[in-house]
């Protein structure tokens, strides 16, 4: 592992506001910048009250204006929700304002539920043209538009680097075919991790952007000064995550479940499948987290590990960012 980065989900804990979430994202990015992380990415999610990063490009610009050097980007923009031209305009603007600091990670999932997908004017066939849309976007950002007579304005001095995001073999194959970096969402979709990342490395074709494969894998991290505190933070965070997910299901009501009821659900057959989504989680002291991340990176041959620090309390999250950086990066 040569690099360590962060995926910031811009959480909105119960009792707090999105404005407070954005202020927390600035604090987290500043801490990451100071402690040596390579980049911070923000994910596009919709219709989720607990996540504030819906307008990803706007949040990137806000955090960029309050930081100095760290790279910022999308992890990712769900391209089928948008026209390639609009995304090229947004990220061309960001790169013009903050040159050399902007990344554009692209996914093809809706990032939401079926009803919200329809509200986004998207249907079940929208993802079918994802490969062509990526190439159209690439053309706009490089000044070599594939659409005659149409250019993205502003055109930045250098193209924004593209990354393909995924949790299946499809994204791995596309990233390899186009010669782009690949980021695997193993922090919540672990099942195809080793098969997809192996396929990406084995079939990669060099491109103008990238001569050799570049692999980013994701993991959840709870680092604290002592092991028990880290485990407690993980327990609290994953109970809250489970409540949020159950509240979005048929009938809702997850928010009213007690801790004992949540724990019983997670131990049930249905709950175990939900709990397995966070299989790749490091929780413990800085040394324990460092050793876990080193083994994880080696097993996947990762060039970079992108971690999500998910402690529910901001002070704990920032402490996890600091402790992990000190242990891993020195």
């Amino acid at each position: 592992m040569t690099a360590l980065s962060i995926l910031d989900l811009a959480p909105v804990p119960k009792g707090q506001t999105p404005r407070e979430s954005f202020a927390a994202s600035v604090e987290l990015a500043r801490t990451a910048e100071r402690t040596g992380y390579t980049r911070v990415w923000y994910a596009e999610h919709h219709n989720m009250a607990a996540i504030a990063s819906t307008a990803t490009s706007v949040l990137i610009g806000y955090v960029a204006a309050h930081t100095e050097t760290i790279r910022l980007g999308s992890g990712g923009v769900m391209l089928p929700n948008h026209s390639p031209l609009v995304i090229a305009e947004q990220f061309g603007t960001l790169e013009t304002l903050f040159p050399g600091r902007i990344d554009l990670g692209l996914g093809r999932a809706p990032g939401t539920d079926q009803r919200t997908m329809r509200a986004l004017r998207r249907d079940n066939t929208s993802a079918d043209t994802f490969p062509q849309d990526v190439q159209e976007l690439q053309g706009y950002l490089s000044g070599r538009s594939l659409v005659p007579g149409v250019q993205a304005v502003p055109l930045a001095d250098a193209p924004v680097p593209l990354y393909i995001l995924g949790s299946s073999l499809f994204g791995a194959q596309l990233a390899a075919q186009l010669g782009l970096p690949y980021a695997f969402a193993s922090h919540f979709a672990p099942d195809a991790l080793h098969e997809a990342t192996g396929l990406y490395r084995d079939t990669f074709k060099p491109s103008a952007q990238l001569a050799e494969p570049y692999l980013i894998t994701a993991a959840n991290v709870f680092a604290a000064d002592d092991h028990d505190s880290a485990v407690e933070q993980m327990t609290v965070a994953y109970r809250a995550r489970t409540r949020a997910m159950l509240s979005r299901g048929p009938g809702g009501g997850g928010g009213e479940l007690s801790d004992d009821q949540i724990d019983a659900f997670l131990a049930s057959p249905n709950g175990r499948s939900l709990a397995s989504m966070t299989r790749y989680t490091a929780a413990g002291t800085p040394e324990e987290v460092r050793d876990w991340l080193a083994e994880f990176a080696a097993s996947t041959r990762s060039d970079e590990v992108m971690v999500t620090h998910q402690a529910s309390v901001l002070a704990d999250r920032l402490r996890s960012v600091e402790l992990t950086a000190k242990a891993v990066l020195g």
Side-chain angles (χ1 to χ4, degrees), residues 226-248:
D226 65 85
H227 178 85
D228 290 346
S229 293
V231 172
E232 176 62 19
Q233 291 172 24
M234 178 184 68
T235 301
V236 170
Y238 285 171
R239 282 173 178 162
R241 176 181 178 273
T242 303
R243 285 192 182 92
M245 296 189 75
L246 292 177
S247 295
R248 289 174 55 82

Side-chain angles (χ1 to χ4, degrees), residues 242-284:
T242 303
R243 285 192 182 92
M245 296 189 75
L246 292 177
S247 295
R248 289 174 55 82
E256 300 173 3
L257 297 178
S258 68
D259 287 350
D260 288 344
Q261 289 173 314
I262 290 291
D263 292 344
F265 170 76
L266 289 172
S268 71
N270 287 338
R272 282 196 293 271
S273 64
L274 179 62
S276 70
M277 293 171 64
T278 52
R279 181 188 316 160
Y280 293 116
T281 297

Side-chain angles (χ1 to χ4, degrees), residues 8 10 21-33 39-42 53 55-73 94 98 101-102:
D8 179 5
S21 171
F22 298 144
S25 287
V26 169
E27 281 198 64
L28 188 145
R30 285 175 169 168
T31 303
E33 183 174 73
R39 68 187 95 239
V40 180
W41 280 1
Y42 307 93
S53 53
T56 311
S57 60
V58 179
L59 181 56
I60 291 168
Y62 177 70
V63 177
H66 290 82
T67 51
E68 299 293 335
T69 58
I70 195 164
R71 297 193 66 88
L72 301 165
L94 286 169
F98 308 102
R101 295 183 57 201
I102 304 300

Side-chain angles (χ1 to χ4, degrees), residues 52-314:
S53 53
T54 50
T56 311
S57 60
V58 179
L59 181 56
I60 291 168
Y62 177 70
V63 177
H66 290 82
T67 51
E68 299 293 335
T69 58
I70 195 164
R71 297 193 66 88
L72 301 165
S74 58
V77 160
M78 300 296 105
L79 190 55
N81 293 348
H82 314 274
S83 80
L85 177 60
V86 169
I87 297 303
E89 291 169 341
Q90 291 175 1
F91 280 79
T93 299
L94 286 169
E95 177 64 22
T96 300
L97 291 169
F98 308 102
R101 295 183 57 201
I102 304 300
D103 299 328
L104 178 48
L106 300 167
R108 67 182 182 122
T112 190
D113 56 71
Q114 291 288 320
R115 287 176 299 178
T116 310
M117 188 174 78
R118 290 193 291 272
L120 288 165
R121 304 299 187 265
R122 173 177 172 158
D123 60 36
N124 290 327
T125 66
S126 298
D128 293 349
T129 59
F130 181 66
Q132 293 80 15
D133 291 344
V134 171
Q135 291 176 297
E136 182 180 335
L137 174 58
Q138 207 169 23
Y140 291 135
L141 291 171
S142 65
R144 296 185 292 273
S145 175
L146 302 181
V147 182
V150 179
Q151 300 291 334
V153 180
L155 178 65
D157 291 340
V160 178
L162 300 185
Y163 296 75
I164 299 297
L165 279 57
S167 58
S168 68
L169 302 187
F170 178 90
Q173 291 171 318
L174 180 62
Q177 178 185 344
L178 297 180
L180 295 175
Y182 180 52
F184 191 91
S186 36
H187 63 298
F188 77 94
D191 291 346
L193 172 62
H194 290 89
E195 186 178 3
T197 55
L199 177 65
Y200 168 67
R201 285 197 174 278
D202 292 343
T203 61
F204 179 84
K205 298 178 181 178
S207 68
Q209 179 176 325
L210 197 63
E212 297 178 347
Y214 190 88
L215 175 63
I216 302 173
T217 53
N220 307 287
V221 166
F222 299 85
D225 291 292
D226 65 85
H227 178 85
D228 290 346
S229 293
V231 172
E232 176 62 19
Q233 291 172 24
M234 178 184 68
T235 301
V236 170
Y238 285 171
R239 282 173 178 162
R241 176 181 178 273
T242 303
R243 285 192 182 92
M245 296 189 75
L246 292 177
S247 295
R248 289 174 55 82
E256 300 173 3
L257 297 178
S258 68
D259 287 350
D260 288 344
Q261 289 173 314
I262 290 291
D263 292 344
F265 170 76
L266 289 172
S268 71
N270 287 338
R272 282 196 293 271
S273 64
L274 179 62
S276 70
M277 293 171 64
T278 52
R279 181 188 316 160
Y280 293 116
T281 297
T285 64
E287 294 75 20
E288 290 172 326
V289 168
R290 178 197 62 208
D291 293 346
W292 189 97
L293 289 174
E295 182 177 346
F296 174 73
S299 73
T300 54
R301 296 188 292 163
S302 300
D303 299 290
E304 181 176 332
V305 175
M306 181 166 283
V307 297
T308 63
H309 296 275
Q310 296 202 46
S312 299
V313 177
L314 176 60

Side-chain angles (χ1 to χ4, degrees), residues 37 223-226 284-286 318-328:
Y37 288 80
D225 291 292
D226 65 85
T285 64
L318 297 178
R319 183 63 175 158
S320 183
V321 169
E322 293 175 335
L323 292 174
T324 302
K326 185 175 182 180
V328 175

